[in-house]
Structure formats: C-alpha cells, structure tokens
Amino acid sequence: MTHQDLPAGLPRAAAGRAEHRLRSFARLGKLDVYDYYLSILVVLAAVLLPAARFDRPTATMLVVFLLGQVFVIMAMVALDDVTGFRDGSDTQNYGPDNPLRNKLRKPLVAGTLTEREALGFAWVTALIGALLWAVAVTVAPHRPTWALVLIAALFVVSLQYSYGLKISYHGFQEAFLVALGVVLVVAPYGLAEGHFSGFLLVQGVLFGFGPLMFGVYSNTNDVEGDRAVGRPTVAALVSERGNTVFIGCLSAAEFLLGAVASATGAAPWWFVLLMLPATALRTKQFVTGFVRGDIMRARKTGFAVHRLSVALLVAANLLVGSGAFA
C-alpha cells in the first residue's frame, strides 16, 4: 500500500504503520498519563468534609478547573514534543536503538502527525484551557489574589516549559515539575476555601514529587539525547554516580518532608506514618533503578508510587475533615 492509498484520517507513519489522527492527537496530549489530573482528588478530599460546607459552586469550580487543567497540560506536553522533534532529542530517544520506547507515543517522530498539526493542537488546547480556568475563577466561591496569580503564572510558564523561553532547557526542569504539583493543589483549594493552608502546601509538594520522580528516571534513560541537544537535566550535567546520589536524596527528601511536617504541626502527627507505604515503594523504585540497573522498570514504578501517594493524601484529608485522630 502506498501513502496515497491510506484511508482518510490515517496519516503517514514510520515503517508503514498508521493510526487514526484522533488517536495520534490523544497521544500528543498524553491523555493516557492521567497522573497530573489526580490533584483534583486531593483538593476534593480536603474540602468535602464536613459535607454541610460542600456546596454547588465549589463542585462546579472543581469540575471546570479540572477540565481547564487537562487542556493546559495537553498544550504543554504537545509543545514539548514539538521542541523535542525539532532539536532531534525525541528522534534519538525513541529511535531504533531504544526498543523499550514506543515510537507511536511521539506522533511527530512516528510521522502520524505533522509539526503544523501539533502546533495547531497545542495552541487550540491552550486557548480552551485558559477559557475554562477563567470560568472556574468566575464561578469560584472565593478569589484570593495569591491563587489567581498562581493560576496565571502556571498557565504562562507551562507554555514556556519547552517552547518559547524553553525553561526546561535552562536548568529548571526539576523545579518546575514540583511547582506544577504545588499549584494544581493549592490554587483550586484557595478558590474553594478562600485561604492558604500549610498542610495543603505540604501535600502539593508531595504531589509534585510524583511527576518529578518519574521525570528524573526518564531523564536518566534519555541522558545521551539530552546531552546531545544541550538540555541541562541533572542527569545530563552530572556523572552517573552524581545522578544516583541526586535521585537518592530526592527520595529521602520526600519522606523527610512528611516527617518534618508531622513534627512541626504543619501536618497531623500521624501523617508521616500514613505515608510510609509510599516511602517503602519509593525505596523499591530506587533499588530497581540504581541497584538492579533497570531504569525503565523503575520509571514505571514511579507511577505506582504517585498513585499510591495520592490515595494516601486523599485518606489524610478525609480523616482530618471527619475529625478523626484530632
């Protein structure tokens, strides 16, 4: 079959493979990676109890904020793919020398979408995301200035993560991933409750550690491609041993954050104990990646750690809201 013989809606693909364009757009937006969107469950659990306070405006705001979040993040990751395709790093990281990576997950590399289609998708989703966040602010029960500033800043910075200013190409990739998690937790909480919460800040940082920790394992796997294009991830800047120490310190810092929060009263005294299952699984991730040398399996474990952490954060908020262990 020639390219001219392909059915409508099925663009060209590498090695003669093709798929429907809608599927390719879903891959471009990384809709199968829903981990960023779990932040709304943490916020919901924090405002749900006591039930008498949970009203329709709050519920509406959370739904609309989540929808906006989905579109903004789709725009962010699409622009990241455009830059990765332009500089050649995605072509190297998803090439034939790396059989563990599914090339179809990168539609530009696979040839299932054109660069023009990817950019159009990114800007349309960014616009929709901005409109939805504006609606969420409009219907929110509260509009504290600090929450509005955080939302606006996150929108602007997300689009500059790998495109435009290319923040992730100037040594801020790891910090941004944590900041992303923080804003996605504390900003909608501020819109719902109208005030800042130190406990929700702790939870936001812990939520941000999820994307951070499967991000640094990805960077470890992609180190050669990132070095080739000058993308200064920690893995690309330091030695293999230095990167191992860095990720080990991050793993320990995640536990210490919960421990210090419990010890200082920023979180309930039992919070660090509740989070121990996530700590144990994080330790397993490190052992898998840097003791057994299976980085990609360790990266996959990172998703499990993040999802478990979210479940535990939800449980913590429900316990606090119910007055248990007060």
Side-chain angles (χ1 to χ4, degrees):
M1 178 183 289
T2 66
H3 294 311
Q4 289 77 12
D5 295 326
L6 289 173
L10 291 177
R12 290 183 297 171
R17 301 173 69 185
E19 63 179 2
H20 197 279
R21 186 172 279 108
L22 289 177
R23 174 65 181 238
S24 294
F25 280 127
R27 290 186 188 275
L28 183 68
K30 306 297 184 289
L31 282 177
D32 59 324
V33 183
Y34 56 83
D35 298 83
Y36 295 102
Y37 313 131
L38 297 178
S39 59
I40 208 69
L41 297 179
V42 177
V43 180
L44 176 61
V47 302
L48 186 61
L49 298 177
R53 291 193 321 175
F54 189 73
D55 54 17
R56 181 174 296 178
T58 299
T60 301
M61 180 275 294
L62 291 177
V63 170
V64 178
F65 187 91
L66 172 61
L67 292 174
Q69 178 179 333
V70 171
F71 279 95
V72 171
I73 290 177
M74 283 198 295
M76 179 185 76
V77 296
L79 291 173
D80 184 67
D81 273 16
V82 169
T83 299
F85 178 70
R86 285 178 173 177
D87 65 24
S89 59
D90 279 351
T91 301
Q92 179 166 336
N93 294 333
Y94 284 79
D97 293 334
N98 198 340
L100 296 179
R101 308 299 289 269
N102 179 6
K103 184 180 292 187
L104 285 175
R105 288 187 56 79
K106 295 288 184 177
L108 292 171
V109 176
T112 59
L113 289 177
T114 66
E115 187 177 319
R116 181 178 179 181
E117 289 171 331
L119 281 172
F121 174 86
W123 296 124
V124 169
T125 52
L127 176 60
I128 295 172
L131 291 174
L132 285 167
W133 272 355
V135 172
V137 168
T138 301
V139 303
H142 306 278
R143 287 179 284 276
T145 301
W146 61 266
L148 302 183
V149 170
L150 286 178
I151 293 169
L154 179 60
F155 177 78
V156 172
V157 174
S158 294
L159 301 184
Q160 306 294 321
Y161 174 65
S162 297
Y163 196 81
L165 295 177
K166 296 184 179 180
I167 293 171
S168 65
Y169 283 71
H170 298 285
F172 297 101
Q173 182 182 136
E174 292 83 5
F176 170 79
L177 292 174
V178 176
L180 173 67
V182 170
V183 176
L184 293 178
V185 170
V186 301
Y189 179 82
L191 295 179
E193 296 292 305
H195 61 82
F196 177 80
S197 166
F199 186 32
L200 264 292
L201 175 62
V202 170
Q203 293 182 57
V205 175
L206 290 175
F207 183 86
F209 259 82
L212 170 65
M213 294 305 287
F214 47 73
V216 293
Y217 280 85
S218 290
N219 292 342
T220 300
N221 183 75
D222 298 343
V223 62
E224 296 304 325
D226 288 337
R227 283 174 177 166
V229 302
R231 191 172 193 174
T233 65
V234 171
L237 292 173
V238 303
S239 66
E240 183 177 340
R241 178 175 176 80
N243 185 54
T244 301
V245 171
F246 171 68
I247 294 179
C249 288
L250 289 179
S251 302
E254 186 178 27
F255 164 76
L256 290 173
L257 174 62
V260 171
S262 286
T264 59
W269 64 266
W270 43 261
F271 180 68
V272 64
L273 302 177
L274 180 70
M275 298 303 295
L276 282 178
T279 300
L281 194 54
R282 183 71 75 197
T283 303
K284 178 183 178 182
Q285 181 188 21
F286 182 82
V287 171
T288 300
F290 294 101
V291 177
R292 299 175 182 169
D294 194 340
I295 292 296
M296 292 306 290
R297 184 177 294 275
R299 177 183 180 273
K300 185 176 181 180
T301 301
F303 288 93
V305 180
H306 179 62
R307 293 162 191 172
L308 174 59
S309 294
V310 168
L312 295 174
L313 293 176
V314 167
N317 283 327
L318 293 178
L319 288 171
V320 169
S322 68
F325 302 108

